[in-house]
């Protein structure tokens, strides 16, 4: 145990030295902190009154939000340490002699991004040809016609979005999916709410638009007139967009149409030509996820003045490119999207921006470098075993459910057994050999990376689904379940201390990473996931009574979480978060069962005054420690399907009699929720 304490002390020293304001440095190893951290506790709080505060109060005090962040958390901190570590790798890869092709690409991309002197010297020049082409347009028809090439070449959000993805009803097919888009604010609700904060934010958004158009050479008067037209178009699009809660229902976003039928909705766009430009000339049928939205696009394209449409496109070209352009553009973008919208006081240092840029554009190239240094075969084997144990616990739970019929259980178990576990990194790395990267032309690199990704996506059409594909890069500190692939994915980045800690024993690890694995697994059966079957197809495999039994249980969780306040008078929108809330609750229970089985017959000791069960729960709670800015909390409340950390912990443990027993909590205390909600 002394060895462990020494490590804890080292972790504290690391945090302290950062707090003293020393500039972060590239790292040659990810700093260690344990999965159960005594310094993160606040022992003045009664665990039966506020378990989150008890587990995380110290962490909150020791970890103020860095000036360049909207919020801060155990996940974000590990994410930043991963970035510092990647920064070290990228510096080497940028300058080393005799580089591998992978090192050349990530190193040169990083070097080009870091060269702000070259980027600043260019000003708006790199965008000039695109803006001139746009300027020469004189009719609405030609604005509509330009969308094909804009979508093909630029990352901006121009009216709608098109991509290739799995067909919801037959997941073995890759089809075209047309989605809503075209907004510069984070959600449709931002355009429609009438409270003073929302009204003010729209004014600030208009000011941002004016600023960008001014930087691109417009007079203040012209820019203001254009900004008003742009906002008007976006409001119209927002009104016709589904809400986030509506979008959780996969039936609401599934409308297979022929191209002829789509042309009926939006005749202003020549769809044959549109798909040909994307490199997919033969498209016959597709999913138009929001038909009403496409009607609104038609209305906008045919009723707004041509100058308003041009201004809208111009602004979206500028705002999507702003972070790749010279300092005034980057600063304007930061001032609105980070400072105003999320309350972030300071711009992130360039190394951070550039490390993230490489991760975004060349994630599986940089990921190879990351995995080789951080994720040993032993860690892979152990976390794989833990995943299988948690799946076994889920099978056992399903079999024991008293509210589910035998027919539905058969289907549920079939689905569970079909889930594929993807741990750490892809079996086969993405091949970037066709992507050209120059060490001295950042906008070129960014464009090429975008084109590479576009081609990769559109090339999927008509091919079998690549089951090896990952939706997150290996250094990412996050995990996901994909209902159509029917797989759970845990990047190497999320399987590092303090989340998965090879130096700690099972209790905090099953509490922390085990609960995360259980969380992702439970997504296969949440409000959204349960609508897909073992093959990843949208098919109702529930009897009516079982579906109702399930909804009743979810409603218990919805009612509970709707009572939590995020910030000011804003409550959790638990219709948006219930999928995540149920995953937290189910995941923790599964991890607990798996841990009990894994340690059965072992003589588990009390450590640092905590019983084994208490250590499981403290380890669990400490993944969620966080601090958040109120501005960011407002954005999260509107857009994030996850509840804030305190609710994710207190909401779960208050439903678990295992927790009440571990800490001796009694009915009537806040951490005992009556009636206890239980889904799985
Ligand atoms: Zn989740």
């Amino acid at each position: 145990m002394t060895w462990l304490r020494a490590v804890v002390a080292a972790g504290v020293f690391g945090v302290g030295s950062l707090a003293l304001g020393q500039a972060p440095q590239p790292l040659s190893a990810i700093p260690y902190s344990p999965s159960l951290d005594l310094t993160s506790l606040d022992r003045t709080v009664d665990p039966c009154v506020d378990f989150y505060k008890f587990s995380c109060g110290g962490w909150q005090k020791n970890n103020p939000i860095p000036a360049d962040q909207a919020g801060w958390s155990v996940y974000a901190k590990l994410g930043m340490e991963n970035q510092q570590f990647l920064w070290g790798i990228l510096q080497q890869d940028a300058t080393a002699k005799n580089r591998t092709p992978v090192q050349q690409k990530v190193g040169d991309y990083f070097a080009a991004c870091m060269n702000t002197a070259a980027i600043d010297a260019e000003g708006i020049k790199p965008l000039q040809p695109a803006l001139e082409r746009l300027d020469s347009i004189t009719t609405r028809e030609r604005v509509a016609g330009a969308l094909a090439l804009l979508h093909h070449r630029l990352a901006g959000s121009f009216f709608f979005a098109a991509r290739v993805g799995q067909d919801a009803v037959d997941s073995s097919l890759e089809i075209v999916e047309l989605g809503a888009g075209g907004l510069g604010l984070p959600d449709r609700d931002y355009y429609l709410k009438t409270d003073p904060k929302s009204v003010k934010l729209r004014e600030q958004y208009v000011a941002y638009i004016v600023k960008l158009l001014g930087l691109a050479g417009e007079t203040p008067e012209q820019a203001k007139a254009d900004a008003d037209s742009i906002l008007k178009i976006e409001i119209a699009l927002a009104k016709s967009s589904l809400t986030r809660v509506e979008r959780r229902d996969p039936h609401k976003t599934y409308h297979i149409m022929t191209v002829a039928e789509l042309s009926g909705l939006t005749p202003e766009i020549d769809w044959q030509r549109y798909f040909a430009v994307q490199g997919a000339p033969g498209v016959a049928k597709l999913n138009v996820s929001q038909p009403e939205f496409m009607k609104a696009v038609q209305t906008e394209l045919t009723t707004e003045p041509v100058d308003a449409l041009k201004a809208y496109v111009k602004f979206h070209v500028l705002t999507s490119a702003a972070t790749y352009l010279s300092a005034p553009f980057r600063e304007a973008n930061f001032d609105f999207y980070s400072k105003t919208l999320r309350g972030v006081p300071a711009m992130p240092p360039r190394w951070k921006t550039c490390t993230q840029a490489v991760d975004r554009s060349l994630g599986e190239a940089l990921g190879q470098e990351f995995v080789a240094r951080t994720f040993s075969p032993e860690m892979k084997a152990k976390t794989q075993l833990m995943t299988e144990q948690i799946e076994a616990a889920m099978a056992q739970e399903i079999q024991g459910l008293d509210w589910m019929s035998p027919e539905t259980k058969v289907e549920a178990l079939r689905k569970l057994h079909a889930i594929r576990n993807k741990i750490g990194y892809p079996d086969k790395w993405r091949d970037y050999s066709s992507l050209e990267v120059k060490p001295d032309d950042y906008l070129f690199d960014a464009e090429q990376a975008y084109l590479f990704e576009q081609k990769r996506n559109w090339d999927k059409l008509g091919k079998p689904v690549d089951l090896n594909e990952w939706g997150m890069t290996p250094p990412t500190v996050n995990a996901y379940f994909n209902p159509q692939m029917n797989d759970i994915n845990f990047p190497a980045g999320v399987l590092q201390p303090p989340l998965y800690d090879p130096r700690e024993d099972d209790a905090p690890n099953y509490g922390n990473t085990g609960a995360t694995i259980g969380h992702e697994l439970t997504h296969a059966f949440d409000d959204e996931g349960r609508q897909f079957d073992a093959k990843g197809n949208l098919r109702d495999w529930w009897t009516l009574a079982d579906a109702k039994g399930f909804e009743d249980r979810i409603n218990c969780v919805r009612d509970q979480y709707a009572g939590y306040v995020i910030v000011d008078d804003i409550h959790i929108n638990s219709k948006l978060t219930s999928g995540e809330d149920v995953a937290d609750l189910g995941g923790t229970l599964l991890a607990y069962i798996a841990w009990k089985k894994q340690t059965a017959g072992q003589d588990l000791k009390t450590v640092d005054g905590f019983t084994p069960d208490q250590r499981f729960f403290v380890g669990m709670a400490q993944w969620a420690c966080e601090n958040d800015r109120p501005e960011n909390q407002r954005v999260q409340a509107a857009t994030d399907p996850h509840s804030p950390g305190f609710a994710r912990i207190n909401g779960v443990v208050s439903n678990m009699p295992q927790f009440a027993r571990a800490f001796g909590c009694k009915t009537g205390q806040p951490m005992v929720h009556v009636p206890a909600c239980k889904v799985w």
Side-chain angles (χ1 to χ4, degrees):
M1 276 333 295
T2 31
W3 175 77
L4 247 182
R5 282 208 194 89
V7 175
V8 171
V12 171
F13 178 75
V15 171
S17 64
L18 264 184
L20 287 175
Q22 290 171 11
Q25 298 297 318
L27 296 174
S28 54
I30 301 171
Y32 173 77
S33 50
S35 61
L36 195 166
D37 193 341
L38 298 176
T39 67
S40 294
L41 300 171
D42 181 349
R43 291 183 191 265
T44 67
V45 176
D46 181 343
C48 295
V49 171
D50 186 344
F51 187 57
Y52 176 76
K53 202 84 200 157
F54 172 80
S55 304
C56 289
W59 190 95
Q60 290 180 304
K61 221 181 298 152
N62 297 335
N63 292 277
I65 306 173
D68 63 349
Q69 299 291 318
W72 201 228
S73 63
V74 167
Y75 268 53
K77 183 163 177 274
L78 176 57
M80 201 217 34
E81 288 164 353
N82 280 357
Q83 279 176 32
Q84 268 178 275
F85 178 62
L86 292 170
W87 178 20
I89 295 172
L90 286 168
Q91 273 194 337
Q92 274 176 17
D93 289 351
T95 50
K97 302 246 175 338
N98 302 322
R99 298 180 294 179
T100 65
V102 159
Q103 290 168 338
Q104 178 270 320
K105 288 203 198 303
V106 298
D108 284 353
Y109 200 100
F110 183 73
C113 177
M114 289 299 285
N115 191 350
T116 47
I119 295 166
D120 290 346
E122 287 285 288
I124 196 175
K125 241 191 337 201
L127 279 192
Q128 218 59 277
L131 294 179
E132 276 163 19
R133 267 201 307 277
L134 183 63
D135 213 35
S136 70
I137 289 179
T138 52
T139 63
R140 287 191 187 115
E141 292 73 23
R142 284 197 49 216
V143 177
L147 293 178
L149 200 60
L150 285 163
H151 281 187
H152 179 59
R153 292 200 60 96
L154 296 177
S157 184
F158 308 103
F159 288 103
F160 59 93
R163 63 182 285 278
V164 175
Q166 283 170 279
D167 180 5
V169 169
D170 181 355
S171 71
S172 69
L173 298 178
E174 297 277 13
I175 62 164
V176 176
E177 215 174 69
L178 224 52
L183 306 180
L185 288 169
D187 188 83
R188 68 183 291 284
D189 288 356
Y190 279 86
Y191 294 89
L192 309 174
K193 290 205 300 207
T194 52
D195 61 283
K197 276 209 160 84
S198 301
V199 172
K200 178 153 186 238
L201 199 62
R202 282 198 291 276
E203 287 165 14
Q204 290 166 315
Y205 179 50
V206 165
Y208 165 63
I209 300 174
V210 169
K211 174 98 197 176
L212 273 199
L213 294 176
L215 287 172
E218 287 192 9
T219 64
E221 298 72 33
Q222 182 65 47
K224 178 66 174 74
D226 281 346
D228 290 339
S229 309
I230 292 162
L231 183 67
K232 181 167 170 266
I233 292 174
E234 294 190 9
I235 288 174
L237 296 177
K239 277 185 183 153
S240 304
S241 306
L242 294 181
T243 67
R244 268 170 211 269
V245 172
E246 287 166 337
R247 295 205 312 263
R248 289 188 69 79
D249 179 350
H251 293 283
K252 287 208 169 103
T253 55
Y254 189 68
H255 308 279
I256 294 291
M257 290 185 189
T258 62
V259 171
E261 285 166 328
L262 170 61
S263 299
L265 289 180
T266 322
E268 193 64 3
I269 294 172
D270 177 348
W271 290 103
Q272 302 286 0
R273 179 177 161 271
Y274 178 89
F275 292 122
V277 171
Q278 312 312 314
V283 176
K285 275 176 152 184
L286 71 161
N287 177 26
V288 179
S289 67
Q290 301 194 32
E292 285 308 310
F293 180 84
M294 293 313 294
K295 284 188 204 164
V297 170
Q298 170 69 17
T299 305
E300 292 308 296
L301 288 176
T302 51
T303 59
E304 291 293 339
V306 63
D307 285 340
L309 294 171
K310 280 165 66 177
Y312 167 85
V313 170
K314 181 178 178 179
F315 164 66
H316 280 278
V317 169
L318 290 169
T319 190
S320 68
T323 54
Y324 300 98
L325 293 175
S326 56
F329 289 93
R330 299 197 297 273
E331 281 156 17
N333 187 274
F334 171 83
D335 280 345
F336 180 70
Y337 283 107
S338 295
K339 193 180 269 179
T340 302
L341 201 54
R342 294 178 185 271
V344 183
M347 261 179 117
R350 191 68 189 170
W351 67 265
K352 226 185 249 189
T353 304
C354 293
T355 305
Q356 284 167 352
V358 180
D359 181 51
R360 210 168 38 240
S361 295
L362 287 157
E364 287 193 17
L366 184 56
Q368 295 175 43
E369 299 278 88
F370 181 79
V371 164
R373 292 163 172 87
T374 58
F375 198 58
S376 65
E378 294 75 37
M379 284 169 88
K380 177 153 177 157
K382 271 203 149 172
T383 46
Q384 222 152 10
L385 173 68
M386 197 190 267
T387 309
E388 285 155 20
Q389 291 171 329
I390 288 164
E391 285 167 341
M394 181 126 212
Q396 184 193 318
E397 278 301 283
I398 289 172
Q399 274 151 351
L401 289 176
D402 57 5
W403 56 271
M404 192 184 266
S405 68
E407 305 94 280
T408 305
K409 282 184 185 177
V410 168
E411 288 273 1
L413 289 168
R414 182 178 301 148
K415 175 164 181 172
L416 174 65
H417 294 315
I419 289 174
R420 284 171 313 110
N421 303 332
K422 285 151 81 172
I423 312 283
Y425 53 92
D427 292 338
K428 190 168 164 280
W429 294 105
R430 189 167 297 167
D431 176 9
Y432 292 99
S433 53
S434 66
L435 173 61
E436 188 189 352
V437 179
K438 295 182 183 173
D440 53 5
D441 192 343
Y442 186 44
L443 205 73
F444 171 87
D445 292 345
E447 271 173 6
Q448 293 304 308
Y450 177 76
L451 288 173
F452 176 87
E453 182 52 30
Q454 281 291 97
K455 181 167 169 16
R456 196 182 74 77
N457 181 251
W458 285 95
D459 279 353
K460 288 179 183 176
L461 210 56
K463 300 213 179 79
V465 172
D466 176 9
L467 297 176
N468 174 58
E469 184 174 6
W470 281 63
M472 283 179 184
T473 67
T476 305
V477 186
N478 209 339
Y480 70 97
F481 165 73
N482 180 335
Q484 293 222 255
M485 297 274 264
N486 200 28
D487 60 12
I488 47 177
N489 301 258
F490 303 94
V494 83
L495 299 173
Q496 305 291 326
L499 303 175
Y500 178 75
D501 184 353
R503 302 188 208 180
E504 277 276 11
D505 62 301
D506 288 329
N509 277 321
Y510 278 71
N512 191 323
T513 287
T516 304
I517 295 169
H519 171 107
E520 299 308 337
L521 198 58
T522 310
H523 273 315
F525 305 93
D526 72 10
D527 59 327
E528 212 173 355
R530 78 172 186 88
Q531 305 191 55
F532 295 84
D533 66 13
K535 289 188 171 141
N537 294 337
L538 183 58
R539 177 173 71 83
D540 191 359
W541 47 269
W542 296 65
T543 67
L544 269 180
D546 290 335
K548 183 174 181 311
F550 180 77
E551 280 300 318
D552 289 347
R553 280 159 183 80
I554 289 196
N555 281 333
C556 177
V557 177
R558 286 191 179 127
D559 291 344
Q560 178 191 3
Y561 281 68
Y564 294 121
V565 172
I566 300 182
V567 61
D568 304 332
D569 58 345
I570 300 178
H571 284 248
I572 290 179
N573 175 3
S574 59
K575 284 202 174 90
L576 177 63
T577 63
S578 66
E580 297 296 338
D581 301 332
V582 167
D584 286 337
L585 180 57
T588 308
L589 175 65
L590 296 179
Y592 183 83
I593 295 168
W595 170 62
K596 281 287 167 189
K597 212 165 171 189
Q598 159 74 7
T599 55
Q602 290 181 16
D603 180 22
L604 301 180
K605 299 266 188 309
T606 291
V607 180
D608 298 317
F610 288 119
T611 67
D613 276 58
Q614 290 174 337
R615 296 180 71 241
F616 172 91
F617 283 107
V618 174
M620 188 281 273
Q622 288 191 336
W623 79 256
C625 301
E626 66 184 21
N627 284 312
D628 220 344
R629 299 187 196 279
E631 294 88 343
N632 192 48
Q633 287 174 319
R634 299 182 79 89
V635 179
Q636 302 290 94
T639 60
D640 192 347
H642 302 90
S643 294
F646 79 87
R648 296 188 71 172
I649 299 310
N650 290 348
V652 166
V653 298
S654 62
N655 284 318
M656 289 183 71
Q658 298 89 340
F659 169 81
R661 273 198 301 276
F663 284 91
C665 305
K666 302 272 178 308
T667 308
Q669 288 190 294
M671 289 304 100
V672 181
H673 181 246
V674 183
C677 304
K678 184 176 186 300
V679 180
W680 296 105

